[in-house]
Structures are given as C-alpha cells and as structure tokens.
Amino acid sequence: MSQYHLDYLGELESESIHIFREIAAQFEKPALLFSGGKDSITLVHLARKAFAPGKIPFPLVHIDTGHNFPEALEFRDWLAKEVGATLIVRKVEDTIKQRNLTEPRGKFASRNWLQTYTLLDTIEEFKFDACIGGARRDEEKARAKERIFSVRDEFGQWNPKLQRPELWNIYNGRIQKGENVRVFPISNWTELDIWNYIRKENIGLPSIYFSHDRQVIEHEGQLVAASEFVQLDETDVILTKKVRYRTVGDMTCTAAVESNASTLDEVISEIISTKISERGETRIDDKVTEAAMEDRKKNGYF
Amino acid sequence: MDLLRFITAGSVDDGKSTLIGRLLYDSKNILIDQMEALEKSTKNRADGSVDLALLTDGLRAEREQGITIDVAYRYFTTPKRKFIIADAPGHVQYTRNMITGASNANLIIVLIDARLGVVEQTRRHSIIASLLKIPHVVVAINKMDLVEYSQDVFNNIVIDYAEVARQLGLKDVTYIPISALNGDNIVDRSSNIDWYDGKPLLEFLEDVQTDSDINLTDARFQVQLVIRPQTEELHDYRGYAGKILSGVYKKGDAVKVLPAGIFTTISKLEVGGEEVDEVFAPQAAVIQLSDDIDISRGDSIVKADDSPTIANEIEVLLCWLDEKPLQAGNKYYIQHNSRLVRSVVRSIEYKLDVNSLQQQQVEGQVKLNEVVRATIKTSSPLVYDSYADINVNGSAVLIDETSNSTVAAVLFQ
C-alpha cells in the first residue's frame, strides 16, 4: 500500500472539510445549527479544522426547546467560548408566546416539531442563507435521499422531486432571493464513524454520553429521564439506573440506554454490538408515523 | 480500514433491491428495529421470509407512485472496509440519476438476469460506466437459481458481456454468478455453484484494490478559499485552502499559479491546522506560498513544470440532466470544482446513443438524459485536464442562470 493513503476516517474528514470551505466561499451568511449533541460537536470540530488557523467564520445557532439536558447546555456554552465562535440562542418558548402557538400536550409533550417555527424565524431574523446541520444519511430513509446541499424554498420546505443532481465533489449553492440552503457536511458518516472519529481526535463530549446514575421511568420498554417536562402518572415508578445517552435531543423525546460504559472505548464496543439502530433505540418521536421525518422535512425541519 | 464507494445498476426486476438488502442483511448491518419495520411491511409471504427488497424502500411519495425518484445512499461496514452504496434506479428515464450516483463511484455492479442475459439496459449501464471511467466493474449474474445454476448459461453471458466490455474499453471486469434472493455467492461461497472458483461478491468488494484509482502522479490543486485571519499574531498569514485533487505537494516545491502563470514556491503546508511536509490527494489542505501574489477562489496551483490545458474554448461531452432542454447558443454558468464562470454552448456536434454508442445527428433541442458532444466557450479560461486523464480536474457542471438548477454534467475531452 502506498505511503500516500487515507483511511476511511481521513477520507470522510477531508470530504467534510471541503464542504465547509465551499459553504464559507459560496454564502454570505451561513450559520451552524448546534444542538449540543455529538454530531454537531463533531461538526464544530471539523469546521475548526477547515478554517484553521483562522476562526470559524460563522455563528453557532442553537434552537432551544427549553427541554434540554442541563449538561448539554453547559457544554454548548463552554464549546462556543473555546472555539471563539458567536453563539446565538433562540428559544421555542418565545416563539410559542409571540406566535400564540399551541403547546403540545401529553405525557411526553415534545416541542420537537415546534422548533421548525423558531428556526424559520431565526433564519429570517439574521437573513441566513445557509444553515449547516449534522444530519447523517444513515439515520433515516428520508435523509438517505437528501443532497449535501439541500435547497429549501422560502417556507423552508424540502421537495424530494426537485433536488439538484450532485455530481463529483461539485456543490451548486446558487439560490434565489428568499431561498436558503441546508448543508449536511457529515451526510456520509455513520453513527459508528462519528464515534470512531471522536475517539481518534479526542473530542470532548457532554457527560451524559457516558454511564451515570439517573432517575428514569420506564415507558414501552424505553427509559425516559424523570424531569419536570415529563408528566408522571400514578403508575409510573421512578427508578435509579446506570444509563448513558446515545443521542442527545430533548429530555422529553430522547431515551437513555442502560449502560456501564464510562469511556469512549467502552461506548464504542457497546455500539458495535448493539442490535438496535440509533433512532430506534433513543428517539421517541420517530415512531409516531413511519414517514415522520419525511413529513417534517417537507415542512422546513432540519 | 479504507472506503469503497460503489453503485448498483439495474432495475427492481433484476433483483437490485434484493441484492442490496442481502448485502446489508448478511453483513449484519440490519438492526432489530429495522427488521421489525421490515416484517411489518412484508405482505403475507407464503414461506414467512422477509422481503429484503423492502430494506431499500424509499419515501412515501415514491411508494404512493410506485417509482424511485432519486439516488439513495446506503452504508455498511465489514471488519475490512466501509462501503457507501449509491443506489440508483436503472430505467432509461433515470440516466440522470445513474450519472449522479456513478460520479463518485470506484466500482459499479452491473446486474444481469441470468434468464435474459445481456440486454439493452445492461449495455446502457455499461456505457455510462465507461463514459464516467469507473475503474472497476463487477458483472453480477443474478437469479442463477432460476437457471438451475447452469455453468453454460453463465459462460454464455460472460462471452456476450466480454464483447461489450471490449467495445467500451472496460478493463477491470469481474464476473460472479449469484442468487441475491437465496444468498448464493453473496457472503459465502455457494455450494450450488461449485464450478465457480472465484470469490463471493462481498469478499470481492472487500479485497478489490483501489489504491491506483487515485492519481498520485500529476499534482492538481484548486483554491477554494483564501484564509486570512488578520489577527494580531497572524496578521500576515495568507493560506490557500482547497482539496488536493490529485498528486502530491511538498514543502519547497516550485509551483505556478494558473491561469495567471506566476511562478513561486510552497513555503508551508497545513492539514487541519497542523503543519506537514507533504500533502496528497484527496486531503483537504492549506498551501502557503513564498511570494505575495493575487490569488483568488478558483485559481489553480500546479507544479512549475506541469501543464494542464488552459483554454476558453473547450470540447466537452454534456450529459443533460434537466427537464428544460438545451439549445445551442444558450448561456450557462459552468462550475469547475470551485471555479465559476459564465459559458455559452457554441455548437453541438452529435448525440451519443447511450444504448449503442452510435453518433447521431442532433435535430432540435437536447433533452433530459441525452448525451452530446459539444463545444463551449467560457468567459475566462479554465485550467483543466481531459476527464480521461485526470477525472477530478476534468469534470464540471452547467448551472441554469435563471433557475439555478444543475442542468448538465460536463466531461472535458
């Protein structure tokens, strides 16, 4: 084998950095949508590499549902400071008030889909023309067909039938006034690639990704953190379990997995041997309808 | 561990979805909840087995209309390799999707139904593979169970296809008899096909040598972005960020900046903020030069003694990808990696029949899925190579100035 050879993580990294640089060169006001989860933390790491020794030339934007894990918020603030990026936080709570939206009800009332309103308002407020997201094509079948540069109309809607052909490594980011582009630099990474890269690059993560004691309730086989955002019934039993999170979303719609894995190596070996997909195991919202993601994307979701 | 990107060409009837489902399933990349969803949507099959084709089932919009809209990307990993499959629908109206999916592929799997042999569709897929110079071709002769695993059937198809490959100049062609439905020769060698002594499909995909697919001889680099931090400690810093398209660059190399034609040397190389002595394709790097030169996005940096073509009148093959037809004389943006200039399609010489490779006269407009030989003129010169020589520096897209759609794939001749 030649001495000039990139392994798969090197190749993925190079592809993602290339995409980041295209975004910075082609758009006037990009923004990185930051959720506090491992995928967006990886995005920030790649962005830092793409523009080194300069700073990341766009802000980090967090659409805050108000249902976040405190550990993730703390990490978000630390990371923004660490990389010297501007952090913009817009709250779903405020959108609900301003627009007189109806709060979802129910046991695990999730503001997940309300985020779309706040996101579209934020895009409008700052006139962002490109929003960078950490979605991966292996996550879900609607994602599997989305382009890396995904053009959205003025309502933020994705139209799977009108996607631009995306050939070689050439990205066409030209848009009309009012349109914007969602860009997904880690489209070709899988969950395991992300974890292996985090290990290789020694990227810091919020503590909830590792085993810790947490009060949870059991719901249809999934463990949900007992928080102020979840309505407890009389029949709910609060248990203390050793858990970690495999994805970090809202406390109302992200389930924990029982685990003793307290290091990256242990987490990775658990993920390799798991028999359940990331979304299947940890996302409560995706199970509602089989086409849930496709519908949300068409409405302007990430 | 390295990465192999491949495309599967074929229609549902050839068992393409079943083959992909089989690869994912047998390499244990399907997880319980995905299986449950599969079982739920599998209609009462007599034998109770699941329909692997449904693993690649797409969007609701597609299911409702019974069509496949687009290229879908699928991922699986074995202990030896990470794989990215571009799953493109194969019917004639989808040439556009196949070209899109094939543009990044190292390998193509051409599926042939053993009962039908080499058909028009096989020819079309192979022509696209040859146009795009996909380095490795696997001819998977499927449904061997339906021809009683006959070696004669297999051999006859090999003879027929070898003729197609010869005409098209396809060099690295491998033939594997399989049954995607039954799993014959997918992961394990099939006992039903004991006359075949080659590797089963997955093992072949794991082992195929792709090192020489990347050109490490001719160095090509195009500036994506100029990095100028303009901070106190870095106020003189000026780095040219971009991907190494091909070849190797070393600190101290004599280089020239094109199209301006200015000579200088490389003073510093960086990858991800770390200084290195050399960089190679396909690394994303930052190059610093010893002289202060006016360089901007889209400019090329090559070795001082190297000579890519610099021209503004260019012979190309155009694969038309848009519903709105092309007319000679129309203006478009051309995006050649990161260089974007205006262009006009001057003349269209002939149309290439993607079923026969025959040159035909063009009458009227060039429509979706048609491939033509044309001359384009650009508003300023491009620094390029022929697609056949250095594909990464020999490809571009045309963009409609009014709709902003990507309307054509461009292969420089």
Side-chain angles (χ1 to χ4, degrees), chain B residues 1 10 35 43 61 88 136 150 155 182 190 239 253 280 295 299 372 380:
Chain B
M1 189 159 87
M35 268 314 279
K43 295 173 199 129
H136 314 280
S150 155
N155 285 344
N182 296 342
S190 167
D253 274 352
F280 57 92
I295 297 178
D299 287 342
V372 294
S380 55

Side-chain angles (χ1 to χ4, degrees), chain B residues 265-411:
Chain B
T265 52
I266 293 176
S267 58
K268 194 175 171 185
L269 290 166
E270 287 166 286
V271 171
E274 307 274 334
E275 188 170 353
V276 291
D277 290 332
E278 52 186 2
V279 290
F280 57 92
Q283 279 185 310
V286 175
I287 295 180
Q288 285 183 266
L289 302 172
S290 21
D291 300 289
D292 242 342
I293 305 168
D294 181 21
I295 297 178
S296 47
R297 174 171 162 87
D299 287 342
S300 292
I301 300 174
V302 304
K303 300 288 178 68
D305 56 0
D306 222 340
S307 44
T309 311
I310 305 171
N312 63 357
E313 208 159 310
I314 308 171
E315 288 285 310
V316 298
L317 267 191
L318 289 182
C319 310
W320 201 253
L321 308 173
D322 203 52
E323 300 281 355
K324 211 163 90 181
L326 160 75
Q327 275 170 307
N330 279 14
K331 293 193 181 69
Y332 298 93
Y333 281 109
I334 182 166
Q335 187 175 346
H336 172 231
N337 291 317
S338 298
R339 187 171 180 86
L340 184 79
V341 301
R342 300 184 75 188
S343 70
V344 58
V345 180
R346 268 285 175 81
S347 59
I348 299 167
E349 280 112 73
Y350 58 82
K351 189 169 95 181
L352 204 61
D353 183 335
V354 290
N355 294 315
S356 66
L357 258 197
Q358 271 172 359
Q359 299 175 6
Q360 299 171 336
Q361 207 173 342
V362 179
E363 284 151 21
Q365 301 164 320
V366 174
K367 295 186 278 299
L368 175 67
N369 294 322
E370 292 186 338
V371 178
V372 294
R373 171 87 176 220
T375 308
I376 57 169
K377 185 160 198 265
T378 58
S379 59
S380 55
L382 298 183
V383 178
Y384 69 93
D385 295 276
S386 78
Y387 187 84
D389 288 343
I390 307 179
N391 62 348
V392 281
N393 198 39
S395 44
V397 298
L398 290 188
I399 298 168
D400 185 304
E401 289 188 323
T402 52
S403 70
N404 292 324
S405 304
T406 303
V407 294
V410 184
L411 307 174

Side-chain angles (χ1 to χ4, degrees), chain B residues 13-260:
Chain B
D13 318 326
D14 300 325
K16 178 173 68 82
S17 301
T18 308
L19 173 66
I20 294 173
R22 174 63 68 187
L23 281 170
L24 300 176
Y25 183 77
D26 285 359
S27 62
K28 309 209 169 24
N29 280 266
I30 302 297
L31 300 164
I32 289 175
D33 56 314
Q34 294 164 326
M35 268 314 279
E36 278 171 4
L38 188 64
E39 280 158 5
K40 220 164 62 183
S41 45
T42 298
K43 295 173 199 129
N44 306 314
R45 286 164 77 89
D47 57 357
S49 67
V50 295
D51 184 355
L52 289 174
L54 291 173
L55 277 172
T56 59
D57 199 17
L59 306 174
R60 188 176 53 198
E62 294 171 321
R63 287 197 300 280
E64 281 164 5
Q65 297 167 48
I67 51 156
T68 311
I69 293 169
D70 219 313
V71 187
Y73 293 89
R74 328 244 170 231
Y75 303 83
F76 71 101
T77 307
T78 70
K80 283 190 178 168
R81 258 197 179 138
K82 173 186 165 91
F83 297 94
I84 301 179
I85 312 176
D87 175 11
H91 292 297
V92 66
Q93 60 268 45
Y94 299 118
T95 299
R96 150 192 155 133
N97 292 335
M98 225 196 110
I99 290 173
T100 302
S103 70
N104 284 318
N106 311 90
L107 180 146
I108 181 170
I109 298 180
V110 177
L111 265 171
I112 294 181
D113 184 329
R115 296 168 303 174
L116 306 175
V118 174
V119 294
E120 184 177 294
Q121 185 173 268
T122 318
R123 217 175 278 276
R124 185 169 64 247
H125 295 157
S126 305
I127 286 172
I128 291 171
S130 79
L131 285 178
L132 290 174
K133 307 263 184 274
I134 300 178
H136 314 280
V137 179
V138 173
V139 179
I141 298 166
N142 192 25
K143 306 195 182 181
M144 288 300 293
D145 52 319
L146 300 182
V147 294
E148 288 152 0
Y149 299 105
S150 155
Q151 186 174 9
D152 286 344
V153 170
F154 176 80
N155 285 344
N156 286 333
I157 294 173
V158 170
I159 291 166
D160 287 352
Y161 193 88
E163 178 55 22
V164 174
R166 193 191 59 78
Q167 285 168 6
L168 298 177
L170 299 173
K171 288 188 191 79
D172 182 14
V173 184
T174 305
Y175 302 88
I176 306 179
I178 64 168
S179 162
L181 192 67
N182 296 342
D184 291 302
N185 277 344
I186 304 294
V187 172
D188 298 313
R189 189 182 287 268
S190 167
S191 55
N192 294 319
I193 314 179
D194 51 7
W195 45 263
Y196 170 76
D197 53 14
K199 289 172 184 169
L201 180 62
L202 185 63
E203 194 181 326
F204 180 82
L205 295 174
E206 285 180 316
D207 293 345
V208 60
Q209 285 293 321
T210 55
D211 266 13
S212 55
D213 298 353
I214 293 176
N215 178 332
L216 289 170
T217 316
D218 309 293
R220 296 287 183 272
F221 174 90
Q222 208 194 47
V223 177
Q224 268 188 287
L225 177 80
V226 183
I227 295 180
R228 296 191 64 189
Q230 290 174 306
T231 55
E232 238 170 76
E233 64 272 30
L234 293 166
H235 70 276
D236 283 334
Y237 185 98
R238 213 182 154 87
Y240 304 103
K243 197 167 176 168
I244 310 299
L245 297 170
S246 59
V248 181
Y249 289 85
K250 293 182 181 169
K251 191 175 167 173
D253 274 352
V255 293
K256 64 184 166 191
V257 180
L258 297 174

Side-chain angles (χ1 to χ4, degrees), chain A residues 14 145 188 193 275 277 295, chain B residues 32-33 60 62 75 82 282:
Chain A
S14 167
K145 298 207 163 182
N188 284 326
D193 298 335
K275 295 281 179 281
S277 80
D295 292 340
Chain B
I32 289 175
D33 56 314
R60 188 176 53 198
E62 294 171 321
Y75 303 83
K82 173 186 165 91

